[in-house]
Amino acid sequence: LSECSTEGDIVSVENCNLKLDRDISNWYITRQIENMSTVAKYKLPDGSIIKSGKVLKIDAPFQTNQLELLIA
């Protein structure tokens, strides 16, 4: 995780490896809003890949059914 805006509108995940792509299929992003007990958990879809040295920016808030194939 390289960035998470305080407004909660973007989450950035960076692949710092300059030689290998990173498959982040089925990873989870968990979001808890301050002072709230509710936690939202989002599963990244199959085929979500961050190419070597790239950053994947995910617009949030999002729902599980809105996530499509993610490739950066």
Side-chain angles (χ1 to χ4, degrees), residues 12-17 20-25 27 44 47-58 70-72:
S12 298
V13 182
E14 181 177 7
N15 180 359
C16 296
N17 190 312
L20 299 173
D21 296 345
R22 171 65 76 180
D23 184 350
I24 59 170
S25 299
W27 282 24
L44 299 173
S48 297
I49 297 173
I50 305 176
K51 301 284 186 182
S52 62
K54 299 293 182 181
V55 176
L56 174 65
K57 292 191 176 193
I58 304 169
L70 302 172
I71 299 178

Side-chain angles (χ1 to χ4, degrees), residues 2-18:
S2 62
E3 175 187 359
C4 183
S5 70
T6 55
E7 293 81 28
D9 56 352
I10 292 181
V11 173
S12 298
V13 182
E14 181 177 7
N15 180 359
C16 296
N17 190 312
L18 299 178

